[in-house]
Each structure stands twice: as structure tokens, then as C-alpha cells.
Amino acid sequence: MSEKETKRRDFLFTATYAVGAVGIGAVVWPMIDQMNPDASVKALASTEVDVSSVNPGNTITVLWRGKPVFIRRRTVEEIAEAKSVKMEELKDPEKDEDRAKNPEWLVMLGVCTHLGCVPLDNKGDYNGWFCPCHGSHYDISGRIRKGPAPTNMEVPKYEFVNASTIKIG
Amino acid sequence: MSDHDYTPKSKAGKWFNDRLPLLTLANHLTDYPTPKNLNYWWTFGGILTFCLITQIVTGLTLAMHYIAHADMAFESVEHIMRDVNYGWLIRYIHANGASMFFLAVYIHIFRSLFYGSYKAPREIIWIIGIIIYLLMMAAAFMGYVLPWGQMSFWGATVITNLFSAIPLVGEGIVTWLWGGYSVDNPTLTRFFTLHYLIPFLILGLVVLHIWALHVPGNNNPIGIDIKKPSKDTVPFHPYIVIKDGFALLMFMIVFAFFVFYTPNILGHADNYIEADPLVTPAHIVPEWYLLPFYAILRSVPDKLLGVVAMLSAILILAALPWLDTSKIRSAVFRPLYKQFYWILVADVLILGYVGAMPAEGLYLLIARVATAYYFLHFLVVLPVLGLKEKTLPVPLSITEPVLGGSPNLATARNKESLK
């Protein structure tokens, strides 16, 4: 094959491939995107919870976006313990103040950051939560201390609507 | 495809065959020359075909009664068990059939490992087999989700969360797989669709698997190349058909034992509790056939690396034809490989056992050692062994030790050389 100069036909081939690729992409994308969360799933974005009946030292679990949310009313000792932990001891360093703006109430997704199981409360080596699936230990601030989970349990967006009602989402 | 010309006897047959050569194909399949020394470990290909067809037929009938909806799936499965005529039988065959399928495929794979069936010129057969195995695991996993019990739900949660280990895009992929922010109805309906689709993909790959097999022909217990057809071969029908048929009957006895006497022994009691997104069962374990890989996942204390190790454990098999450097196929003539083979079998069984146990203390230690050995076997032992091992002399043909007049190979070969 000799060195060829670019011909009219080469341009036609390239243009055809390019238009074809765009066309295929335009057909494939809706097929992929239909699997993403639909409008009705997205609509269930926030939940209000009445927490007036929760006693200190207890945790309630509510469902938000199909996932459990732990709401724990912590005791004075628990708050002191959570605040006393040194940052160097943590795998995913985060201050307790940043996780619980009102230190009495810890609100977080009850989903282990390893593979998504629901950890059990008042269990584990750090008086917090313990995930039964693959053995991750969390402290009383929901921070990962031991085990395969990479990060602390996630704190969702939430606010106190009034003294006894929390709005999650 | 046939090695010899074939003409149908009847005029109508000839007319049809000239237009669509199905009769030529049928003739190729019946006359197909097969090594005469194939043992019972070679009957599992036929058994696996039976398993696939059983799963498709029972699956189709279950789909006539099952409802793929998060609110109704669990009840519809109980409806199948209690109300549908013979529903209990069809469901127990389907559920235990999955286990029987994996039992047969593991024997089939370890047969290949022992006799070196994955080596040249059969690499493509082997790789197609690995793809079928991966699809089987996907189908089994998604099928297990459909009854929407506690193990279904939390198994689905844990396995789909494996993808969240991927840096940057992981979370987005998991949300996309779920069609929401947790495993829920959209997840169930798409799993049902894919669970329905995959067996037919497997069926197509099985055709390719057999097609690729019929190019070089079967490997055999002594692992040598043989002339086809020759005095070393017998036609597939009736010789292999009868042998496969007998083995299939034996296999069906085991199958029927599980279905009729202990239909739930391989399942988990937790799956008879309806899915609850607020409570994780105390001890989550996958089905027995996935336990070795689950043990590998848990033995690595890092999320991403654990997932990588688990996937590598499966994908490393695809590279096996190039990792094993020995030219000798059958372990019969490889005294050292034979020992390492049995160590690997023990290693995988140990991984399976610790995969079912809690990931702590001694179990975790054993899982780590066994995981390390698993990779060592494929990445170090096999490549080195092929270069260092002193193999035994390989006979020139299947019939040589017999027709040479002595069961002793060395004597037979001596006689042969005196002629």
C-alpha cells in the first residue's frame, strides 16, 4: 500500500462512523439510565420523626429512603466517652462535635460502610455498634474502630424542626 | 463438521439434508470418535446438560406462579409451596437443582484440573467454561434473592455493596444496580428479569463449549493426543451415551434424595422469614457453593482489596492454561503435581468450611493461610512445577500398554522396540 492522500471517501467513512456512534449512544443511554432511581423513589426524600418518647441510653431505628436510620439519645457518660477519643486512634478521624451537633442526639445511617448490613447496638469492643456480617466495631459516635469497614457510619442531612421532632433528608 | 461424508439413506432425508444439514450434524454427534478410556469423571458434561435443562423447565413453571414484587414475592413463594399443584415439588427441584448443578460443575472443573484438560489445544473450551461458571454464580445469586426472605434481602445487600468498593464511581454503580437507595422493589424486578435471561445465555455458551470441544476432541485420562478415528476411539453412540446415561441415573438418585428427604438442608432457615430492611440476621452466609470465595473476601482486612482478591480468585482460572507450564496434561504422569492437586482440593474445602464460620480468631487465621496458599498454587507452584518436575514416561497410545502384551508400560515399550 502506498501513502495515500486523504480522499473524499475517507471523509465519508469517518463522518458515517461518527454519526453512527452518536446514534448508538443516544439509544443505549436511555436503556442504562432507566435503571437509576425513578421519580417516585426520589420523591420519598425526607421523613419527620417524633423523638419525644426516646429515653437516654436508647436507640430508635426509623426507615428513610429504604434504609435504617439510628437515632440515639446518648447519656452524659456516653457523650464524655465519645469526646475523649483521640484523633490518632481513629481510622477515619472525625470529631464527635462534627457528627452530633446536639451531643445528646446521634443521628446516623444504620448501615455498615463495609457491605451494607445493619449493625447491632450496645455491642462490640467500643460500647457502640457491632456489625454481625463481617465484624466491624463502631464506637458510641458511630466511628469505625476495628474491622473491615473503611469509614464511619454516615450522618445524613437532618434538622430539629422543634424540640421533639427531627426531619431527616 | 463431520470427518467423513454422510448421505441420508432415504430420499426425503437427502432432500431435507441438502437444504439444512441437520442430519449431517446428528450423524457427526452419534459417530463422534471418543477416547475409549474415558472414566466416570467424564460423565459430568452430560450431567451438567441435564442440570441446565432441569433448571430451565422448573424455572419456567415456577415463573407461571411467582410474583416479582417486594410486597408479594414472599407470599407467592409460600403460595407455590402450599396451594399450587405439585408446587412444592417443582420448587424443591429448582432450589436443590441449583446445588446439584454446582456440585456437578465443581467435579467437572476439578476433573479438568487433574487431567490437564485446559491445556493446548483446549484453552478456548476452558475459558468458555469459566464464563459459564461466572454466569451460573450470577444466576444462582439472583435466583436466591427472588423468594424475598431475610437471607435473600441481606445477601443481595452485601453482594451488590461489593461494587461500592470501586473508587469514585462505586456508590453511583450501586445506586444504579438497586434503582434506589437500598435493595427494594426495583432491585427485585430487575433481578427476576436477569435470572430469567441468564440460563438462555448459558445454553448458548454450552453450544459453543461443545462445538469447541468437538474440534480437538475429548482429552482422556492419560492426557495424550490420539488419532481419530482409530483403535483408540469408540463412537459416541452407543458407548458414551450408555455410560453417561448410567452415571446420570446415579446422580439423579442423589438429587432425588435431597429433594424428597432433606429439601431444606442446603438452605437457611432465615429465608423463611420475610425480608426486613431494619434487621440483619445475626449470621449471614451465602449458599455453600460460594463459601470458598466468601472466605477469601473476608480474609482480607481491606474493603477494596478484599473484593479484588475474591474476583481474582475466579478470574485467575481463566489464565490457567498459561500459568501451568507443563507440557504433560494428565496428573497420572506428574507425581509432584498430583500431590499439589490434592493439596489444592483440601485448600478449597478448608476455605469453604471457614467461609461458613464467623470471621474471627482461629477461623480468620486459617482463612488467611488458605487464601494465600490458593494464590500461591496458581501463581508460583504451577509455573515452577512445569519447569522442574520430573514426569513419568507417557505411553504412545491408549492401547499401547494393553496390546503390547503387558500391563506394565516399560515391558510393553521394550517389546515394541524389539520388533
Side-chain angles (χ1 to χ4, degrees):
Chain A
M1 289 266 276
S2 59
E3 292 284 314
K4 292 195 303 181
E5 76 267 43
T6 309
K7 292 250 175 64
R8 210 172 119 85
R9 175 139 305 193
D10 295 323
F11 169 76
L12 287 173
F13 277 139
T14 309
T16 310
Y17 294 146
V19 172
V22 170
I24 288 169
V27 174
V28 167
W29 176 245
M31 297 294 160
I32 293 172
D33 193 41
Q34 55 84 21
M35 281 173 69
N36 272 317
D38 62 35
S40 72
V41 171
K42 284 181 183 161
L44 303 169
S46 70
T47 309
E48 288 196 7
V49 188
D50 177 15
V51 293
S52 56
S53 58
V54 183
N55 294 320
N58 281 351
T59 304
I60 59 164
T61 308
V62 295
L63 210 56
W64 172 67
R65 282 181 164 185
K67 282 180 178 170
V69 174
F70 292 156
I71 301 175
R72 184 177 182 93
R73 187 167 185 181
R74 299 191 293 185
T75 60
V76 180
E77 300 85 61
E78 286 172 346
I79 297 168
E81 188 188 330
K83 289 194 194 278
S84 69
V85 178
K86 290 197 193 72
M87 286 300 114
E88 304 88 75
E89 293 173 31
L90 297 172
K91 191 172 173 184
D92 179 15
E94 232 183 329
K95 284 188 188 139
D96 186 59
E97 295 90 293
D98 298 335
R99 294 179 57 79
K101 276 162 235 149
N102 176 351
E104 195 181 359
W105 296 96
L106 177 66
V107 179
M108 63 183 179
L109 287 185
V111 175
C112 179
T113 55
H114 182 226
L115 293 173
C117 297
V118 180
L120 307 167
D121 67 347
N122 299 324
K123 284 234 167 65
D125 298 351
Y126 296 88
N127 297 322
W129 285 265
F130 172 71
C131 181
C133 291
H134 308 97
S136 292
H137 300 255
Y138 295 89
D139 65 15
I140 195 60
S141 187
R143 294 174 294 201
I144 179 66
R145 302 299 290 271
K146 197 168 110 183
T151 55
N152 304 333
M153 279 194 265
E154 195 187 326
V155 176
K157 206 177 125 216
Y158 69 92
E159 58 183 11
F160 278 87
V161 182
N162 54 49
S164 64
T165 311
I166 298 177
K167 183 181 164 203
I168 307 166
Chain B
M1 271 175 90
S2 186
D3 296 329
H4 54 90
D5 291 325
Y6 167 76
T7 322
K9 285 194 188 74
S10 73
K11 224 174 167 183
K14 192 177 176 319
W15 180 89
F16 182 83
N17 203 50
D18 285 344
R19 282 150 184 83
L20 179 66
L22 273 186
L23 295 169
T24 303
L25 177 64
N27 177 258
H28 162 81
L29 293 176
T30 47
D31 281 2
Y32 173 65
T34 324
K36 67 200 307 182
N37 60 341
L38 293 191
N39 56 33
Y40 275 105
W41 301 114
W42 259 264
T43 59
F44 283 85
I47 288 171
L48 284 162
T49 312
F50 165 81
C51 288
L52 178 61
I53 297 193
T54 306
Q55 291 306 90
I56 289 179
V57 172
T58 51
L60 283 174
T61 43
L62 286 172
M64 294 179 187
H65 305 280
Y66 171 77
I67 302 166
H69 189 283
D71 295 338
M72 287 178 274
F74 186 81
E75 261 177 59
S76 76
V77 171
E78 284 311 301
H79 162 72
I80 289 169
M81 294 300 288
R82 293 158 195 235
D83 304 337
V84 175
N85 299 330
Y86 294 105
W88 59 272
L89 177 65
I90 298 169
R91 175 161 176 262
Y92 277 154
I93 292 174
H94 196 72
N96 285 283
S99 281
M100 292 299 118
F101 206 156
F102 276 95
L103 175 67
V105 93
Y106 282 128
I107 295 173
H108 195 62
I109 291 171
F110 275 101
R111 193 285 321 272
S112 193
L113 291 180
F114 187 84
Y115 294 111
S117 303
Y118 49 86
K119 291 185 197 184
R122 297 183 180 82
E123 302 95 321
I124 298 292
I125 311 174
W126 172 255
I127 289 169
I128 292 172
I130 297 297
I131 298 170
I132 293 174
Y133 175 50
L134 279 171
L135 284 176
M136 278 174 64
M137 289 199 272
F141 158 65
M142 289 194 244
Y144 196 60
V145 175
L146 301 184
W148 211 240
Q150 273 289 64
M151 278 292 170
S152 301
F153 184 90
W154 291 102
T157 301
V158 168
I159 300 295
T160 47
N161 260 309
L162 292 177
F163 291 90
S164 71
I166 304 168
L168 301 175
V169 293
E171 293 295 334
I173 289 177
V174 173
T175 304
W176 177 73
L177 287 172
W178 287 341
Y181 304 105
S182 63
V183 172
D184 209 333
N185 195 49
T187 326
L188 176 60
T189 50
R190 66 191 54 177
F191 275 21
F192 180 56
T193 311
L194 294 174
H195 182 70
Y196 209 123
L197 169 72
I198 290 174
F200 296 98
L201 297 181
I202 294 178
L203 190 63
L205 284 167
V206 166
V207 172
L208 293 183
H209 195 62
I210 295 172
W211 187 1
L213 169 69
H214 280 227
V215 177
N218 292 70
N219 184 30
N220 62 77
I222 60 173
I224 56 164
D225 290 321
I226 51 167
K227 277 204 218 73
K228 293 171 291 277
S230 71
K231 62 185 176 182
D232 275 351
T233 66
V234 288
F236 186 77
H237 183 75
Y239 295 94
I240 303 298
V241 170
I242 292 296
K243 189 162 186 155
D244 275 1
F246 179 70
L248 179 59
L249 280 176
M250 293 296 117
F251 184 79
M252 283 162 83
I253 292 174
V254 178
F255 197 147
F257 174 79
F258 279 104
V259 170
F260 292 105
Y261 291 93
T262 63
N264 287 309
I265 198 168
L266 298 169
H268 298 288
D270 276 323
N271 222 29
Y272 283 100
I273 302 168
E274 192 168 359
D276 181 353
L278 291 179
V279 183
T280 306
H283 187 46
I284 292 198
V285 274
E287 293 287 79
W288 68 268
Y289 38 81
L290 302 176
L291 287 173
F293 300 110
Y294 193 60
I296 291 174
L297 168 76
R298 297 193 306 181
S299 70
V300 182
D302 179 85
K303 183 170 166 178
L304 178 61
L305 291 180
V307 175
V308 169
M310 185 181 70
L311 287 178
S312 310
I314 304 167
L315 294 180
I316 202 170
L317 293 171
L320 184 57
W322 296 276
L323 288 172
D324 185 345
T325 49
S326 176
K327 292 276 173 279
I328 307 294
R329 293 197 190 98
S330 174
V332 170
F333 305 106
R334 300 184 61 191
L336 280 177
Y337 173 72
K338 198 191 270 182
Q339 293 175 30
F340 282 109
Y341 170 85
W342 288 111
I343 296 174
L344 179 74
V345 172
D347 188 61
V348 172
L349 291 175
I350 289 168
L351 278 172
Y353 175 74
V354 292
M357 296 294 135
E360 52 199 32
L362 188 60
Y363 293 125
L364 192 57
L365 181 69
I366 294 171
R368 286 184 176 157
V369 172
T371 299
Y373 183 77
Y374 181 91
F375 287 103
L376 207 65
H377 176 89
F378 290 106
L379 294 175
V380 180
V381 173
L382 286 187
V384 173
L385 207 55
L387 304 174
K388 299 278 179 199
E389 187 177 27
K390 195 165 159 20
T391 55
L392 302 176
V394 174
L396 300 170
S397 76
I398 292 171
T399 45
E400 189 202 350
V402 184
L403 298 184
S406 163
N408 185 313
L409 189 63
T411 325
R413 190 165 279 169
N414 262 337
K415 266 190 191 167
E416 199 72 22
S417 61
L418 287 174
K419 275 177 201 162

